[in-house]
């Protein structure tokens, strides 16, 4: 495809660009005016050229090797369905311009978490065609003591596999709950999940399903088991067909700190809805933090030799401890947590990332969005400086990118779309903190540009969200999708995206050596290092879309 665009669409009042890899001139053709126009040629639409221009030469994009030109059609604000065409007659996929472009997307990104529910049946009333009987009902045993049984049903399958892991769970909970805390107006109760209509926003209902499982993953000392999985990944079978023994793997300091942080955060969020639940969450947080106090040393996790399920190993637990101290400080105001925050802020932590290996950005979210300012002014200043400095760096990286994405060639790691979206979170946080309107606008536009990339304005011309775009990817590495006999995947799944050194067999075989990083992608179900789905790749996308929908609501009123 020679013209790349956000296949889901653009907001009327925001910047709108498309990338040309051929031709210099562009026309924007309206298929049909109106807010709800069909995005299909032949639906009785009479194409009409509504804008013409010359695309700006942006040189050679480092991450793709493409020589690109950028067509800016921001002046076009009328709602409708369009495409972009160059002077060679090549055209983009259709896209919409409309206020509602991100509304359905945010709902589907969140509903996707429901499809990950483990330990219950997905009924047709809520799951439509994507039903399955209850799964993984069996009790687990400790990996280190096969006589010690524990009931740990529930939670979300982590990804395309059936494992459940504490650190990625805590990160997904963190993204989701901060999205709600900061942009509550973007959350309703119409996801059509079993709890819909109970007076609590459905994102919180869905998140509670994960939290109730997490509450089972704590041992008597307060430590959090690192993960709950079978010894080997299941074959490609439906979840209800997986009867393997599940094991609780040993406690780690990384998991326990993530656990303490996410429980403390959740206790604040649910306080207004269910104080009994909030108390349980808080008590679990205090108990986990007590474990951290008793174990100031790093307690790592490595897979036993015979185990091939996810490892989520991390060589440093200081970022997790910082997140935990920050959440406990904001939750309690107690000086002992301030002292931990001060100590850890003096270290070399980034304070700006929201992934499962580096969670230190969540400490910035906790402290910088706390309206009661329980943390010291010094902590706030240190964190704000780090956030704004990183946002400036990312804005400069995006400006250098022909595709407007805040990524450098070395950033295309396993789950690179999570990197894109976590950088979107950072840019949104900076937009909230920016003192000057011109900087705020730069951060906001750059955050939106990350969604343009995710939804199709990239070197492989894929929308990386199932069901969103004429060329949305369709073959995620996801066991139910592969086994359910249904042609299309559930809508709203974010693909892991391009990875410069793919490590699955098909990716290694089919992507030639020397392929530019942004092009190291295949829409292939076997490519777990390129095209898997996970809960914590969807949740940063929910955060960014919730911000966008809140901003659109505010600027519309
Ligand atoms: O931390 C190093 C960094 O220092 C280095 O510069 C970089 C170079 O590529 O590698 C970084 O470590 C990588 C790590 O992710 C953190 O980004 C490892 O190489 C890489 O192998 C590791 O990949 C993880 C993968 O599991 C394998 O462990 C992915 O992030 C993680 O999303 C993925 O998670 C899997 C679960 O195990 C099982 N469930 C599915 C899920 C998604 O695929
Ligand atoms: O399906 C598994 C996926 O969730 C993991 O991310 C990946 C790495 O842990 O492993 C996948 O399972 C593969 C296993 O590692 C090797 N045999 C093939 C399995 C299915 O692709
Ligand atoms: Zn299950």
């Amino acid at each position: 495809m020679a013209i790349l665009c956000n296949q889901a669409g653009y907001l009327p009042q925001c910047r709108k660009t498309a990338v040309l890899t051929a031709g210099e001139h562009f026309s924007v053709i309206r298929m049909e005016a109106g807010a709800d126009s069909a995005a299909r040629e032949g639906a009785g639409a009479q194409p009409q050229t509504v804008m013409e221009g010359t695309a700006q030469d942006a040189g050679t994009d480092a991450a793709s090797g493409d020589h690109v030109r950028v067509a800016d059609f921001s002046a076009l604000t009328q709602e409708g369905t369009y495409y972009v065409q160059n002077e060679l007659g090549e055209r983009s996929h259709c896209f919409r311009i409309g206020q509602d472009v991100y509304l359905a997307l945010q709902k589907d990104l969140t509903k996707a978490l429901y499809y990950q529910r483990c330990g219950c049946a997905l009924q047709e009333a809520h799951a439509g065609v994507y039903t399955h009987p209850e799964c993984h009902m069996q009790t687990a045993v400790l990996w280190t003591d096969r006589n010690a049984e524990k009931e740990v049903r529930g939670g979300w399958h982590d990804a395309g596999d059936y494992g459940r892991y504490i650190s990625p769970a805590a990160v997904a909970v963190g993204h989701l709950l901060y999205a709600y805390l900061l942009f509550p107006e973007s959350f309703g109760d119409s996801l059509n999940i079993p709890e819909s209509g109970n007076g609590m926003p459905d994102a919180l209902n869905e998140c509670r399903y994960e939290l109730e499982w997490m509450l089972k993953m704590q041992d008597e000392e307060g430590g959090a088991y690192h993960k709950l999985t079978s010894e080997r990944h299941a074959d490609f079978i439906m979840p209800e067909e997986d009867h393997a023994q599940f094991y609780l793997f040993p406690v780690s300091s990384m998991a326990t700190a993530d656990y303490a942080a996410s429980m403390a955060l959740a206790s604040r969020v649910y306080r207004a809805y269910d104080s009994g639940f909030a108390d349980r969450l808080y008590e679990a947080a205090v108990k986990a933090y007590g474990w951290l106090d008793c174990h100031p040393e790093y307690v790592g996790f490595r897979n036993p030799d015979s185990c091939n399920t996810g490892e989520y190993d991390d060589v440093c637990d200081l970022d997790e401890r910082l997140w935990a101290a920050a959440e406990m400080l904001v939750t309690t105001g107690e000086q002992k947590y301030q002292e931990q925050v001060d100590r850890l802020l003096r270290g070399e932590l980034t304070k700006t990332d929201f992934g499962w290996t580096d969670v230190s950005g969540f400490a910035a979210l906790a402290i910088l969005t706390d309206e009661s300012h329980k943390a010291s002014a010094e902590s706030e200043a240190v964190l704000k400086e780090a956030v704004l400095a990183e946002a400036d760096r990312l804005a400069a990286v995006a400006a250098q990118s022909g595709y407007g994405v805040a990524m450098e060639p070395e950033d295309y790691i396993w789950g690179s779309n999570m990197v894109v979206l976590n950088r979107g979170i950072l840019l949104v946080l900076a937009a909230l903190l920016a003192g000057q309107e011109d900087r705020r606008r730069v951060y906001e536009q750059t955050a939106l540009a990350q969604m343009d990339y995710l939804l199709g304005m990239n070197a492989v011309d894929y929308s990386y969200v199932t069901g969103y775009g004429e060329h949305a990817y369709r073959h995620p590495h996801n066991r139910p999708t592969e086994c359910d006999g249904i042609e299309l995947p559930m809508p709203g799944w974010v693909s892991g995206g391009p990875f410069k050194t793919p490590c699955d067999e098909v990716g290694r075989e089919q992507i030639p050596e020397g392929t530019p990083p942004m092009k190291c992608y295949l829409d292939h179900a076997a490519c777990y290092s390129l095209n898997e789905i996970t809960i914590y790749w969807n949740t940063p996308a929910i955060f960014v879309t919730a911000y966008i929908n809140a901003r659109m609501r505010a600027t519309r009123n």
Side-chain angles (χ1 to χ4, degrees):
M1 176 63 78
I3 305 176
L4 297 315
C5 69
N6 176 332
Q7 297 173 31
Y10 301 83
L11 298 160
Q13 61 272 53
C14 292
R15 189 162 183 260
K16 306 170 197 71
T17 59
V19 169
L20 276 65
T21 59
E24 295 181 21
H25 305 290
F26 70 94
S27 308
V28 184
I29 290 90
R30 179 165 57 224
M31 298 282 281
E32 196 157 2
D36 55 356
S37 56
R40 283 281 172 275
E41 194 172 358
Q46 294 307 314
Q48 181 193 1
T49 299
V50 294
M51 180 186 268
E52 293 181 317
T54 301
Q56 185 178 0
D57 191 336
T60 299
D61 171 71
S64 64
D66 291 337
H67 185 127
V68 297
R69 287 178 172 79
V70 178
D72 189 326
F73 53 100
S74 302
L76 181 58
T77 57
Q78 186 182 6
E79 300 211 353
T81 300
Y82 300 84
Y83 62 84
V84 175
Q85 184 166 300
N86 66 14
E87 71 273 26
L88 309 173
E90 295 161 317
R91 34 180 294 192
S92 73
H93 296 295
C94 288
F95 56 84
R96 293 203 38 252
I97 292 178
Q99 288 285 1
D100 62 347
V101 157
Y102 286 95
L103 290 179
L105 175 61
Q106 182 190 333
K107 287 174 70 172
D108 279 337
L109 288 166
T110 312
K111 179 64 177 278
L113 300 172
Y114 164 74
Y115 294 117
Q116 293 299 95
R117 288 194 185 187
C118 182
C120 70
L122 298 193
Q123 307 285 3
E124 185 179 359
H126 307 294
V129 294
Y130 301 111
T131 60
H132 67 68
E134 63 189 18
C135 63
H136 300 107
M137 304 301 282
Q138 66 269 36
T139 53
V141 294
L142 298 192
W143 177 261
T144 54
D145 178 358
R146 308 299 164 90
N147 298 315
E149 279 198 302
K150 194 171 167 67
E151 188 275 303
V152 278
R153 276 197 294 275
W156 296 319
H157 300 138
D158 175 59
D161 65 316
Y162 295 136
R164 284 161 278 164
Y165 309 79
I166 282 297
S167 285
V171 165
V173 164
H175 293 145
L176 193 54
L177 294 189
Y178 273 110
Y180 171 73
L181 273 180
L182 295 173
F183 320 114
E185 64 273 36
S186 292
F187 291 88
D189 66 354
S190 57
L191 291 183
N192 183 29
I193 57 177
E195 300 82 0
S196 293
N198 69 353
M200 189 152 77
D202 275 347
L204 299 190
N205 280 318
E206 190 52 49
C207 193
R208 178 164 186 167
Y209 194 82
E210 182 77 336
L211 289 162
E212 289 284 8
W213 165 73
M214 291 174 77
L215 283 167
K216 300 176 180 178
M217 289 291 286
Q218 189 169 37
D219 75 1
E220 308 72 44
E221 274 186 64
Y225 297 107
H226 190 80
K227 65 175 183 177
L228 169 64
T229 75
S230 44
E231 183 172 10
R232 311 287 296 172
H233 277 301
D235 291 335
F236 268 60
I237 53 176
M238 287 299 287
E240 68 276 11
E241 297 165 346
D242 181 15
H243 302 299
Q245 177 63 56
F246 269 53
Y247 299 96
L248 286 165
F249 287 81
V251 166
S252 67
S253 54
M254 163 195 184
T256 304
D258 283 333
Y259 185 94
S262 54
M263 290 292 138
L265 165 62
S267 72
R268 297 200 308 272
V269 173
Y270 288 86
R271 179 64 59 195
Y273 292 99
D274 182 339
S275 59
F277 181 51
D279 287 342
R280 291 167 56 212
L281 294 163
Y282 177 67
E283 285 150 24
V286 170
K287 200 173 168 189
Y289 207 93
W291 186 95
L292 295 171
D293 281 339
C294 295
H295 297 272
E297 75 287 1
Y298 167 77
V299 179
F301 174 81
R302 295 311 304 265
N303 264 343
D305 290 345
S306 63
C307 177
N308 80 342
T309 56
E311 194 164 49
Y312 288 114
D313 59 312
D314 189 2
V315 294
C316 168
D317 68 359
L318 297 179
D319 53 306
E320 286 84 10
R321 290 177 187 261
L322 172 63
W323 183 21
E327 294 292 357
M328 293 302 284
L329 173 58
V330 172
T331 305
T332 67
E334 289 174 25
Q335 184 54 23
K336 72 172 189 173
Y337 300 118
Q338 178 67 62
E339 289 162 10
Q340 293 290 326
V341 166
D342 292 341
R343 177 177 65 83
L344 290 159
L345 284 183
R346 286 193 286 273
E348 292 305 309
L349 297 172
T350 67
K351 305 178 272 293
T352 58
D353 203 350
F354 307 91
W356 67 268
T357 49
D358 180 358
V359 297
S360 57
F362 284 106
L365 267 176
I367 288 172
L368 295 176
T369 63
D370 170 25
E371 291 173 352
S372 61
H373 296 284
K374 290 198 183 70
S376 67
E378 186 198 358
S379 307
E380 290 190 6
V382 167
L383 290 164
K384 183 174 181 179
E385 182 188 1
V387 168
L388 294 179
E390 176 64 1
D392 288 338
R393 184 186 77 84
L394 293 176
V397 169
Q400 281 299 312
S401 159
Y403 288 91
V405 67
M407 295 277 278
E408 297 177 287
E410 60 271 22
D411 294 325
Y412 289 84
I413 62 174
W414 184 331
S416 65
N417 284 338
M418 174 191 76
V419 180
V420 172
L421 290 164
N422 283 341
R423 292 179 176 186
I425 292 179
L426 190 280
L427 288 158
V428 165
L429 179 55
L432 297 175
L433 298 169
Q436 299 152 325
E437 174 55 19
D438 64 335
R439 293 313 296 161
R440 187 205 66 77
R441 183 186 308 276
V442 165
Y443 301 145
E444 179 173 280
Q445 277 186 353
T446 308
L448 270 160
Q450 306 321 297
M451 295 306 294
D452 291 341
Y453 168 87
L454 188 81
L455 291 161
M457 203 164 85
N458 57 58
V460 292
D461 181 40
Y462 272 103
S463 165
Y464 287 120
V465 182
T466 52
Y468 281 82
E470 289 189 336
H471 193 232
Y473 83 104
R474 297 168 65 124
H475 307 289
H477 180 87
N478 184 30
R479 283 167 173 75
T481 301
E482 273 305 286
C483 305
D484 62 14
I486 297 162
E487 188 196 355
L488 289 177
M490 307 90 168
W493 275 121
V494 173
S495 167
F499 176 19
K500 60 187 190 302
T501 52
C503 62
D504 57 80
E505 199 176 327
V506 170
R508 277 203 307 266
E509 277 169 9
Q510 296 189 15
I511 295 178
E513 193 73 30
T515 300
M518 198 194 290
K519 294 182 175 176
C520 289
Y521 174 74
L522 292 172
D523 181 13
H524 194 299
C527 294
Y528 54 78
S529 68
L530 300 171
N531 211 32
E532 189 156 10
I533 53 100
T534 78
I535 55 178
Y536 57 90
W537 295 342
N538 263 45
T539 45
I542 294 167
F543 184 104
V544 178
T545 48
Y547 166 75
I548 294 170
N549 287 325
R551 285 283 300 155
M552 291 314 109
R553 186 189 303 270
T555 48
R556 210 169 33 239
N557 297 341

